[in-house]
Amino acid sequence: MNNNDWAKFIELTGLISANYGKPFESAKQNLWWQLLADVEVHDLERALFKHMKESSFEPKPADLIKLTQPDFDEMFNRMIKKGGFNNDAEYYAWQQVGYACRTQLKEDVARLRLKAEYLRQVELLKQPRAPQSHQLEYEKPVNIKDQMVDSELHKYKDKSPEEIKEMLANFKLNKVKK
């Protein structure tokens, strides 16, 4: 989570105190914020609702963190059955090792390989990348004729538009004759 997620986090802690009848003090909120810093706010929300469906006890940060961790067995079974993916890291992991896991590796080795690749993809996705639209363009080469015209501008400084047209026409004629 980042500072932009603070309002959503406060909303979620308000849901906890409303649902379980225990106040959420600021010291507790700050502690939870620090403990759950590595969890994305939408994953935290999903884990909280899942916990509320399954348990009548107030959640602890460790409970929510466990619920945000991927279920590798379920992920592997979906990959074998080609049943879709839940996030980008799963998709990229399937692209890298899915075929080998389905066709060439023993099941226990395939499960370990998928898990390792998934964790690698999660780390890769955390690295900052520039959006495609902000990539720098290569400098376009300058046309030599443009440079020539720029260096010859002093000739055209005090001329009328008709004189400039005549000079350009002569310039073109001279080019053709050579």
Side-chain angles (χ1 to χ4, degrees):
M1 290 187 288
N2 58 38
N3 291 338
N4 297 335
D5 298 328
W6 178 253
K8 184 67 176 176
F9 177 75
I10 295 298
E11 180 184 327
L12 293 175
T13 57
L15 285 173
I16 293 172
S17 60
N19 193 47
Y20 295 102
K22 295 182 181 178
F24 230 86
E25 298 154 4
S26 64
K28 187 175 179 181
Q29 282 178 334
N30 291 333
L31 177 63
W32 276 48
W33 178 259
Q34 291 173 0
L35 293 172
L36 298 169
D38 294 335
V39 177
E40 293 294 326
V41 72
H42 56 82
D43 292 337
L44 178 63
E45 182 177 24
R46 190 170 38 241
L48 178 61
F49 286 123
K50 187 174 182 179
H51 180 84
M52 288 176 156
K53 288 179 187 176
E54 297 174 357
S55 176
S56 59
F57 298 105
E58 182 179 8
K60 304 288 186 246
D63 299 330
L64 297 176
I65 291 171
K66 284 179 189 172
L67 290 173
T68 61
Q69 301 302 315
D71 181 1
F72 290 108
D73 291 330
E74 187 235 336
M75 185 190 315
F76 182 80
N77 292 337
R78 275 188 286 119
M79 182 194 62
I80 296 297
K81 296 175 184 173
K82 297 182 181 179
F85 52 89
N86 289 338
N87 56 44
D88 289 343
E90 279 186 27
Y91 173 75
Y92 294 130
W94 291 4
Q95 293 296 313
Q96 294 296 318
V97 299
Y99 180 76
C101 289
R102 284 192 304 271
T103 61
Q104 301 166 352
L105 300 174
K106 293 182 182 177
E107 185 176 335
D108 56 337
V109 175
R111 286 178 186 275
L112 292 174
R113 179 63 195 233
L114 177 65
K115 181 178 180 178
E117 185 61 29
Y118 174 81
L119 295 174
R120 187 179 81 82
Q121 292 296 334
V122 167
E123 290 304 313
L124 287 175
L125 288 171
K126 286 181 183 176
Q127 296 175 359
R129 291 182 290 173
Q132 296 274 336
S133 61
H134 295 123
Q135 290 180 348
L136 297 176
E137 290 185 28
Y138 294 105
E139 284 189 28
K140 296 176 183 164
V142 178
N143 189 344
I144 194 120
K145 291 180 183 175
D146 293 339
Q147 287 180 339
M148 221 169 58
V149 169
D150 290 342
S151 65
E152 306 283 327
L153 279 178
H154 67 279
K155 292 180 183 178
Y156 303 103
K157 188 172 185 179
D158 297 323
K159 306 289 183 187
S160 68
E162 291 80 24
E163 290 174 317
I164 293 173
K165 286 180 185 176
E166 185 179 324
M167 290 172 74
L168 288 173
N170 290 336
F171 177 75
K172 288 178 186 175
L173 287 174
N174 290 337
K175 282 288 207 180
V176 172
K177 288 179 184 177
K178 291 182 181 178

